[in-house]
Amino acid sequence: MCLIYVLDVNGSPLMPTQRPGRVRHLLKDGKAKIVNHEPFTIQLTYKSTEFVQPVTLGVDAGSKHIGLSASTEKQELYSAEVEMRKDVSKLLSSRREARRTRRNRLRYRPARFDNRTATKPKGWLAPSVEHKIETHITVIGKVCRILPVSKIVVEVAAFDTQLLKAEEEGRTISGTDYQNGEMRGWNIREYVLFRDNHKCQHCHGKSGDKVLEVHHLESRKTGGNAPNNLITLCSTCHKKYHKGEITLKQKRGRKYDDIAFMGIMRWTLYERLKEKYPCVKLTYGYITKHNRIRLGLSKQHYNDAFCIAGNFDVKPLPYIFCLKKVRCHNRKIHKSKILKKGKLKRNQTDYLVHGFRLFDKVKAPDGTICFIYGRRDNGYFDIRKLDGTTVNAGISWKKLKLVALRKSYLIEKRVKASECFNNI
């Protein structure tokens, strides 16, 4: 079964159809036109009845993936899983480094941090958080443009970050412990040295070097200055590590970026959705988990969204649409490297290489539909599936057939794994 989504003459969504023969005749007679190929959507060119059924859209909000499921009381109409970008913070750090270097290299100009802080509007969010919230709103809007959604149900979650940290360290907190954090009265460097008993965590003082330094286990660009990302090393071991002469056994502690994001975004997302759509409701994770276990569904984002929608008596679709958010532009500032004597090396190909762009959807000689993940000036490309599976690491552009130009959201249709539905 493959659903075909239908829009009326004004572009408003109607109920989808399962009759490809009827759609083929409409297209042949000029009574409809193709709007999108995946998901396949047509628009009628004549006035028709506007009867629609109530459609509920379940949204499994997340920090890395979004689950979507739209259904009526009789059938599921849409199922999708969206993979969001994870490189926003890293790219912003690269841009900041390049701008700071340029500012100091050309002429000294005072930093603008205080000016920017003073002009932040009310409700300002970090760019990485803002991007993820906008991604949620965008993909919800994509569904509402092809289906007559009458209600949106969003799952939100709240996490006690301090309690999670305490449990990881084997401690318990309550009352005023929430106000007295682990670093109260310390700066980061002093706290890390005190925590490690002012001793090198690699040689434990065997080198005899009394100069202690704080080392980032994960790059400062992506790991930040969190205490669980820092350890104490003597100057000797620190230099040896960066020369590649020794390796460290310590690994950075658990990151709480995703948990913090869910706490920040849930109410902002809810308020912004209420401004755009008439009926938006919230649900909670424990309810979703109970329903998913009762129905015998596996732990997948699209299955959680199916449970969030609340139509438990219908059978889920046998396929899903997998979407991946990619960068709209490949900025030169992130692809350049400054060599000796200030020479700038450009580490990227041209905008078009033999008529192909990055992330164009193409067809391989064996009929496999895939995406261009890498291009070379000699005309040999790296093509992969949307999940990163390599189809061919070096195939000539002459053997590829363009299926669709790249978009900011790459889309691929996949068959769901066989599952056991106990009560469906």
Side-chain angles (χ1 to χ4, degrees), residues 232-244:
T232 303
L233 294 178
C234 64
S235 180
T236 302
C237 292
H238 202 183
K239 292 177 181 178
K240 286 184 178 180
Y241 172 79
H242 286 290
K243 289 180 180 179

Side-chain angles (χ1 to χ4, degrees), residues 66 68 95 97 110 127 239 254 313 363 371 390 406 409:
I66 308 172
L68 299 168
R95 187 185 69 178
E97 291 175 1
K239 292 177 181 178
R254 181 181 177 185
D313 296 330
K363 180 186 287 188
F371 298 88
T390 300
R406 64 151 290 166
Y409 288 87

Side-chain angles (χ1 to χ4, degrees), residues 17-267:
T17 179
Q18 300 181 35
R19 300 170 61 187
R22 172 63 175 166
V23 172
R24 194 179 300 112
H25 283 294
L26 289 174
L27 294 172
K28 184 178 179 180
D29 297 339
K31 295 182 179 180
K33 61 180 180 180
I34 299 175
V35 177
N36 198 359
H37 284 86
E38 202 167 19
F40 195 82
T41 308
I42 64 170
Q43 181 177 2
L44 303 178
T45 57
Y46 64 93
K47 291 186 178 181
S48 61
T49 57
E50 299 180 356
F51 173 76
V52 294
Q53 302 174 24
V55 178
T56 303
L57 174 63
V59 182
D60 179 28
S63 175
K64 296 179 180 177
H65 296 85
I66 308 172
L68 299 168
S69 176
S71 59
T72 63
E73 295 181 352
K74 296 182 179 180
Q75 63 175 336
E76 186 180 26
L77 304 178
Y78 184 85
S79 181
E81 185 171 301
V82 184
E83 180 182 350
M84 290 187 286
R85 289 177 57 188
K86 309 179 186 68
D87 60 346
V88 176
S89 298
K90 182 179 179 180
L91 294 176
L92 289 175
S93 297
S94 299
R95 187 185 69 178
R96 182 174 63 249
E97 291 175 1
R99 288 180 172 176
R100 185 176 296 173
T101 302
R102 183 177 59 198
R103 183 179 292 113
N104 294 332
R105 185 173 66 250
L106 299 178
R107 62 182 176 84
Y108 174 74
R109 285 175 286 176
R112 301 183 300 164
F113 303 113
D114 294 339
N115 295 337
R116 287 200 295 267
T117 304
T119 56
K120 286 180 181 177
K122 183 179 180 181
W124 178 89
L125 296 173
S128 57
V129 178
E130 184 71 35
H131 164 74
K132 292 183 179 182
I133 294 176
E134 289 299 326
T135 302
H136 280 76
I137 296 174
T138 300
V139 296
I140 291 172
K142 286 180 177 293
V143 180
C144 293
R145 281 194 290 272
I146 62 174
L147 286 173
V149 176
S150 58
K151 184 171 72 171
I152 300 175
V153 184
V154 183
E155 179 192 294
V156 296
F159 299 92
D160 191 334
T161 308
Q162 287 183 274
L163 181 59
L164 292 173
K165 288 182 179 179
E167 291 178 349
E168 185 179 352
E169 298 170 0
R171 299 183 291 110
T172 58
I173 59 173
S174 62
T176 57
D177 293 336
Y178 283 94
Q179 301 173 4
N180 302 324
E182 58 179 344
M183 288 178 51
R184 181 175 181 179
W186 303 89
N187 61 37
I188 296 178
R189 184 177 185 277
E190 291 175 347
Y191 172 76
V192 174
L193 294 174
F194 169 77
R195 182 197 64 191
D196 296 339
N197 297 319
H198 291 81
K199 186 180 291 186
C200 176
Q201 298 301 295
H202 179 72
C203 69
H204 302 284
K206 294 180 181 179
S207 66
D209 193 343
K210 296 184 179 180
V211 179
L212 299 178
E213 300 173 350
V214 175
H215 168 69
H216 289 79
L217 293 170
E218 189 178 299
S219 170
R220 184 187 306 175
K221 182 185 294 186
T222 56
N225 293 323
N228 62 0
N229 190 39
L230 303 171
I231 61 167
T232 303
L233 294 178
C234 64
S235 180
T236 302
C237 292
H238 202 183
K239 292 177 181 178
K240 286 184 178 180
Y241 172 79
H242 286 290
K243 289 180 180 179
E245 297 177 1
I246 61 174
T247 57
L248 300 176
K249 298 180 180 179
Q250 293 86 352
K251 303 294 181 182
R252 79 152 294 166
R254 181 181 177 185
K255 296 179 70 173
Y256 295 90
D257 297 357
D258 299 332
I259 293 175
F261 164 75
M262 293 303 297
I264 295 171
M265 64 83 67
R266 56 187 184 127
W267 293 117

